[in-house]
């Protein structure tokens, strides 16, 4: 079973497994396909996290997050007066961090794969070379005003993603010959991206535009294997992503705070339930802002933040009748230190091995730069660092010292690929894009299944809300709250975002505990499709 944002990619993943491939083989093929068919976030020029659980239950996290270039420095996005230079960490050649995707996929394949690497690259290469039919969702994404304006600033990107001066329309055929040539070289040798012809082309273009990446940055990139975080929620085991994602830490902190409440008795989306969950979100995101960063560079109190004692201390601050004020909430004091767009897909293979993978260019189409002669869109992941403490990034997240920029450091992420186990066996695996909204999207899918007894598709379809400490407001989805509920929440002191917007795009697989049937659920928000056989 494969659940992803794109029907072509999901089908290719299922085909790989029909041919005898395992979940990691399928993940490699799906990720490379999405780089062709879902260029908003599928990528070669970005990075991500892959949570792998083998059929024997051993679990590892492969961290192929981008890193800051060697020349990066703490204040690189500030002007002479110390103000953040608008868009400098978001658009163009100075926003790009060293991409990790190709290295991460090749590493995962070497460690776990069964089928030959070239066979897994071939479907993506073919789609790039021969073209594919642009879906309604891709056309909608390409036509977003901000995307068009950004792409038009970079002739190579605009040349590739427009036809007759307009973004590609649904039903058009999109052919990407330069990307096909890169995939062909990677098919022979993935290190071409870092030390071969592709690397040479990327660096030539970046340097011609006074960008920061160098040949040494690419040549030195290596993925990292990390131990997933584990916790229990109402008797179910949660296995999730450690730093440099903030997602796993915040998810566990929120679940720990929520466990003493009977959410089911309050009722799904009652004012009392929304209030309780929002207060928990507010506190976890305040802690994220202060404490989280790349643990290879900065000390993060992971054990303290994910401890039950700390959750209980934070929970006791919550007034059941009154919204807190984010200005006064701030971060707590955990016990001492110990050492718009992204996409997610989830896969389970016939043996029961699982991949939960979230990867990204950061914003839609990343920095909007396509390296000349490669067709490879490059990320703007540098914006996930703290450009200046206290100044919000593109997701409105306030970030702290722990996430300051340093050479070869990884920007703090919110990506939260997660597994939920029942009696030691996989129950479901889920993840989502959505920038700062990722963590809350994963939280709400888990609550919908565990607390409210929804099936996995209902849990994904259900309307979501989001609060991230600052700005101090509840984001919500269209038709989500009855007037009664929103009035009651406003009376408690909550403030709603002016307009509704989509929150997340989750893709999950579930194993039915009764008959071990594999269930797939893709999010309808961006046209996702789950494919099994
Ligand atoms: N770029 C979004 C994230 O990693 O959280």
């Amino acid at each position: 079973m494969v659940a992803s944002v794109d029907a072509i990619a999901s089908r290719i993943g299922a085909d790989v497994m029909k041919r005898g491939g395992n979940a990691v083989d399928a993940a490699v093929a799906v990720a490379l396909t999405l780089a062709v068919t879902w260029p908003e976030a599928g990528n070669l020029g970005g990075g991500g996290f892959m949570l792998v659980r083998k059929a024997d239950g051993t679990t590892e996290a492969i961290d192929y997050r981008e890193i800051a270039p060697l020349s990066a420095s703490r204040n690189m996005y500030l002007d002479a007066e110390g103000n953040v230079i608008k868009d400098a960490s978001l658009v163009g050649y100075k926003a790009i961090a060293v991409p990790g995707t190709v290295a991460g996929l090749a590493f995962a394949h070497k460690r776990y794969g069964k089928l030959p690497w070239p066979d897994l690259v071939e479907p993506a290469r073919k789609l790039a070379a021969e073209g594919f039919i642009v879906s309604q969702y891709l056309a909608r994404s390409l036509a977003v005003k901000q995307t068009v304006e950004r792409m038009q600033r970079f002739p190579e990107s605009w040349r590739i993603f427009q036809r007759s001066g307009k973004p590609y329309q649904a039903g058009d055929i999109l052919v990407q010959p330069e990307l096909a040539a890169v995939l062909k070289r990677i098919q022979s040798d993935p290190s071409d991206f870092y030390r071969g012809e592709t690397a040479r082309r990327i660096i030539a273009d970046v340097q011609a535009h006074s960008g920061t990446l160098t040949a040494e940055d690419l040549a030195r990139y290596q993925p990292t294997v990390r131990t997933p975080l584990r916790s229990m929620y109402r008797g179910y085991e949660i296995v999730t992503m450690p730093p440099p994602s903030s997602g796993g830490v915040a998810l566990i902190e929120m679940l720990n705070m929520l466990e003493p409440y009977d959410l089911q008795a309050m009722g799904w989306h009652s004012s009392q339930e929304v209030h309780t969950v929002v207060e928990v979100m507010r506190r976890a995101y305040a802690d994220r802002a202060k404490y989280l960063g790349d643990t290879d560079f900065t000390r993060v109190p992971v054990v303290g933040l994910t401890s039950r004692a700390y959750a209980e201390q934070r929970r006791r601050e919550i007034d059941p009748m009154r919204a807190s004020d984010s200005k006064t909430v701030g971060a707590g004091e955990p016990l001492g230190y110990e050492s718009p767009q992204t996409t997610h897909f989830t896969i389970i293979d016939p043996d029961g091995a699982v991949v939960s993978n979230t990867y990204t260019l950061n914003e839609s189409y990343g920095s909007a730069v396509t390296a000349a002669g490669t067709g490879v869109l490059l990320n703007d992941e540098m914006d996930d660092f703290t450009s200046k403490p206290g100044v919000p990034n593109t997701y409105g997240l306030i970030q702290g010292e722990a996430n300051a920029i340093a050479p070869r450091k990884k920007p703090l992420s919110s990506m939260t690929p997660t597994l939920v186990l029942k009696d030691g066996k996989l129950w479901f695996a889920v993840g989502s894009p959505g920038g700062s909204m990722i963590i809350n999207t994963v939280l709400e899918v888990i609550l919908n299944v565990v607390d409210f007894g929804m099936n996995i598709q209902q849990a994904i379809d259900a309307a979501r809300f989001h609060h991230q400490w600052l700005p101090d407001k509840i984001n919500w989805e269209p038709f989500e709250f009855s007037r009664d509920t929103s009035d009651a929440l406003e009376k408690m002191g909550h403030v709603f975002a002016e307009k509704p917007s989509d929150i997340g795009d989750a893709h999950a697989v579930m194993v039915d505990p009764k008959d071990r049937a594999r269930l797939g659920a893709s999010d309808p928000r961006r046209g996702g499709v789950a494919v099994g056989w």
Side-chain angles (χ1 to χ4, degrees):
M1 179 67 69
V2 183
S4 87
V5 70
D6 178 60
I8 301 173
S10 293
R11 285 197 193 105
I12 284 173
D15 283 348
V16 164
M17 291 191 281
K18 277 188 210 163
R19 286 191 274 121
N22 61 22
V24 171
D25 291 323
V28 168
V30 169
L32 294 172
T33 299
L34 289 170
V36 179
T37 59
W38 190 248
E40 165 183 317
N43 67 81
L44 303 183
F49 302 130
M50 184 187 287
L51 206 53
V52 181
R53 184 173 196 263
K54 291 201 291 185
D56 68 7
T58 48
T59 307
E60 275 182 351
I62 298 177
D63 164 6
Y64 59 96
R65 179 77 163 161
E66 302 93 323
I67 60 173
L70 285 159
S71 63
S73 59
R74 183 187 178 83
N75 296 332
M76 63 190 281
Y77 298 116
L78 302 185
D79 65 16
E81 277 81 52
N83 298 317
V84 174
I85 304 165
K86 188 171 164 0
D87 281 350
S89 62
L90 285 167
V91 188
Y93 289 86
K94 290 195 164 62
I96 303 165
V98 187
T101 295
V102 176
L105 298 179
F107 180 85
H109 176 258
K110 211 166 178 180
R111 207 165 169 85
Y112 302 109
K114 262 166 74 183
L115 296 186
W117 168 262
D119 294 6
L120 306 176
V121 183
E122 180 57 16
R125 189 208 62 74
K126 200 159 179 277
L127 282 163
E130 295 173 11
F132 65 96
I133 298 172
V134 172
S135 70
Q136 167 194 353
Y137 295 95
L138 174 55
R140 189 177 76 181
S141 158
L142 285 167
V144 170
K145 191 162 165 271
Q146 187 191 25
T147 298
V148 171
E149 284 168 5
R150 284 184 174 191
M151 294 252 192
Q152 284 177 335
R153 288 173 57 183
F154 302 96
E156 187 73 349
S157 298
W158 186 234
R159 178 181 69 73
I160 292 170
F161 293 106
Q162 61 76 43
R163 210 172 67 113
S164 314
K166 284 207 208 115
Y168 275 84
Q169 313 281 300
D172 287 346
I173 308 279
L174 175 57
V175 184
Q176 300 169 80
E178 295 89 354
L179 187 58
V182 168
L183 286 162
K184 193 165 172 52
R185 289 195 293 270
I186 287 172
Q187 200 169 19
S188 309
D189 176 9
S191 75
D192 176 78
F193 192 91
Y194 295 91
R195 288 182 285 278
E197 176 62 16
T198 302
R200 198 187 61 66
R201 288 181 186 220
I202 292 173
I203 296 306
D205 189 46
V206 168
Q207 294 192 345
H209 294 89
S210 310
T212 37
L213 285 195
T214 62
E216 188 181 355
D217 284 319
L218 281 181
R220 285 178 62 175
Y221 187 87
Q222 294 287 345
T224 309
V225 177
R226 300 198 186 268
T227 305
L229 299 178
R230 288 173 184 271
S231 182
M232 296 300 286
Y233 179 64
R234 303 198 196 283
Y236 300 103
E237 192 174 359
I238 308 294
V239 183
T240 188
M241 193 65 209
S245 179
S246 60
V249 171
L251 177 67
I252 291 174
E253 185 183 344
M254 291 194 284
L255 290 171
N256 284 345
M257 279 191 263
L258 286 170
E259 199 168 46
Y261 296 98
D262 188 346
L263 299 179
Q264 194 181 38
M266 290 177 188
W268 186 80
H269 273 35
S270 65
S271 55
Q272 200 59 52
E273 189 250 347
V274 175
H275 168 71
T276 307
V277 177
V278 162
E279 290 305 312
V280 160
M281 291 171 170
R282 186 195 306 281
R283 284 161 178 78
Y285 275 78
D287 287 341
R288 178 198 189 280
K290 176 157 180 189
Y291 293 113
L292 270 294
D294 179 354
T295 39
D296 293 345
F297 281 75
T298 187
R299 294 167 72 224
V300 176
V302 173
V303 171
L305 288 167
T306 56
S307 78
R308 283 178 190 275
Y310 179 64
E312 183 53 22
Q313 179 194 320
R314 288 296 258 163
R315 191 184 75 81
R316 276 204 232 106
E317 299 160 6
I318 297 174
D319 179 336
M321 302 311 292
R322 209 54 230 150
S324 319
D325 180 350
S326 284
K327 284 201 271 324
T328 56
V329 165
E333 295 202 0
L335 279 182
Y337 286 83
E338 80 290 343
S339 33
Q341 278 315 355
T342 299
T343 193
H344 180 86
F345 57 81
T346 311
I347 299 175
I348 183 162
D349 71 18
D351 293 332
V354 182
V355 167
S356 186
N357 185 93
T358 315
Y359 75 148
T360 187
L361 290 166
N362 193 24
E363 292 186 301
S364 286
Y365 306 95
S367 62
V369 169
T370 303
T374 69
V376 174
L377 272 163
L378 295 165
N379 68 82
D380 62 340
E381 218 68 63
M382 291 299 286
D383 190 64
D384 273 350
F385 278 117
T386 308
S387 288
K388 182 177 178 178
V391 176
N393 76 353
T394 188
Y395 302 115
L397 285 169
I398 304 290
Q399 316 238 46
E401 281 299 325
N403 189 28
I405 305 173
R408 295 186 61 74
K409 188 174 174 184
K410 289 180 174 165
L412 183 62
S413 172
S414 298
M415 294 187 287
T416 315
T418 296
L419 315 176
V420 179
L421 314 183
K422 190 174 180 160
D423 304 325
K425 296 198 180 103
L426 183 86
W427 187 20
F428 61 98
V430 64
S432 176
S436 57
M437 298 181 174
I438 293 173
I439 315 170
N440 288 337
T441 299
V442 172
L443 173 76
E444 286 170 73
V445 172
I446 294 174
L447 298 182
N448 287 345
V449 174
V450 173
D451 288 81
F452 297 106
M454 293 186 196
N455 70 39
I456 190 68
Q457 189 69 59
Q458 289 168 330
I460 282 179
D461 293 353
R464 303 179 188 120
F465 56 88
H466 167 81
H467 193 288
Q468 60 176 49
W469 176 52
L470 291 171
D472 190 350
K473 61 183 180 192
I474 299 175
N475 293 86
W476 52 290
E477 294 200 307
F479 311 110
E480 177 159 16
F481 296 119
S482 69
R483 177 56 67 86
D484 289 359
T485 310
S486 52
D487 282 354
L489 286 161
E490 278 174 349
K491 282 202 188 99
M492 288 178 181
H494 291 286
V495 177
F496 286 90
E498 203 178 310
K499 280 196 278 185
S501 59
D502 278 1
I503 294 176
D505 186 57
H507 301 276
V509 297
M510 178 179 259
V511 179
D512 188 324
K514 285 194 240 62
D515 58 8
R516 309 303 295 161
R518 278 79 198 268
L519 311 171
S522 268
D523 205 311
R525 290 167 177 78
R526 296 182 198 167
V529 175
V531 176
W533 79 96

